[in-house]
Amino acid sequence: MNDTQDWFPSAQEPNPMRAAQTGMKPSLPKRFYKQADVTEKDGAFLLTLDGRTARTPGRQPLAVPARPLAEALAREWAGQGDEIDPGTMPLTRIVNSAIDGVAARQAEVVDDLVRYAGSDLICYRAGDPERLAEAQAEAWDPILAWVQSTHGARFALSQGVTHVTQSDETLQAIRAAVEEITSPFAIAALHVMTTLSGSVLITLAHAAGEIDAGKAWEAAHVDERFQERIWGEDYEAMERRKLREADFRAASQVYHLAR
């Protein structure tokens, strides 16, 4: 049997976003299996292809802690056509990066998430036009209020792009919130969502169920939506955003199914 390592990019990379979006081989391999299934073994759920355990690029069993996530992976593999296209398999890419990259270096990923909190998107506000400032406040103020009430983290705001330094206490509060998430699959998904949105605070609010994936994605793109209403939509930019949104929603799915 062919090995998934033959076409999935290596995930020996602590940054789950880069690992999940690494380029594929230009020539896609032929589908070599008929059936994708799930098998339980020792409390884990393995993806099997024609009865044989699928493996990550690092040659580890493609195993996850929850049956719903394993079944979602199986549907992704079952949905492939005559060729296998990793570009249409975001769940598998994220799970690969969690197993091969994040599991052994989870502390590094946590550190990176805390760094996002030091310059989080929603702390940088427009002074004008007034309508943009109001749109930002409407989308972002409830998230900041939730972060403060839930995690005790009070963020300082800046107008424009001038850097504002957040207190050590605030960053430690976010670190504590992230460290409560122990699953490498959930941490990998959290990092992908944070990288795509530019905001660990939006991501944490979504992860906690405070806002759904759609509202989280819109909150991350208040500025772009405002500019489009003024200048019109750019087709290529919209298409890129759709692809990124699909990855964001896939990461959200991994996060919630893995827990």
Side-chain angles (χ1 to χ4, degrees), residues 16 22 26-27 52 60 63 68 71 80-82 102 107-109 134 151 163 165 167 176 182 190 209 228 249 255 259:
T22 301
S27 179
R52 300 181 65 176
Q60 299 189 68
E71 290 174 346
Q80 295 299 296
D82 293 336
V102 175
E108 295 176 44
V109 182
E134 290 174 349
H151 299 295
H163 178 71
T165 301
S167 70
T182 58
L190 199 75
E228 286 171 355
R249 289 181 179 273
Y255 180 88
R259 290 170 64 78

Side-chain angles (χ1 to χ4, degrees), residues 141-245:
D141 285 357
I143 296 172
L144 288 174
W146 173 82
V147 170
Q148 182 177 346
S149 65
T150 303
H151 299 295
R154 182 189 294 272
F155 280 81
L157 304 185
S158 176
Q159 191 172 104
V161 295
T162 302
H163 178 71
V164 58
T165 301
Q166 305 298 340
S167 70
D168 290 341
E169 292 78 10
T170 289
L171 297 182
Q172 285 302 318
I174 297 303
R175 178 179 294 278
V178 173
E179 288 179 341
E180 288 180 1
I181 304 166
T182 58
S183 163
F185 301 95
I187 285 290
L190 199 75
H191 192 281
V192 171
M193 288 189 285
T194 296
T195 305
L196 288 168
S197 67
S199 171
V200 70
L201 304 184
I202 290 175
T203 297
L204 285 173
H206 168 56
E210 187 69 13
I211 53 176
D212 64 22
K215 288 185 178 179
W217 187 250
E218 288 302 312
H221 293 84
V222 172
D223 292 11
E224 290 92 330
R225 295 295 195 192
F226 180 81
Q227 294 298 328
E228 286 171 355
R229 287 194 293 272
I230 295 175
W231 303 107
E233 297 176 337
D234 179 272
Y235 176 77
E236 291 185 358
M238 287 180 61
E239 290 302 303
R240 286 194 298 270
R241 192 164 65 220
K242 286 179 182 178
L243 292 174
R244 290 166 64 83
E245 182 178 1

Side-chain angles (χ1 to χ4, degrees), residues 60-74:
Q60 299 189 68
L62 213 169
V64 295
R67 180 177 289 277
L69 179 54
E71 290 174 346
L73 291 172

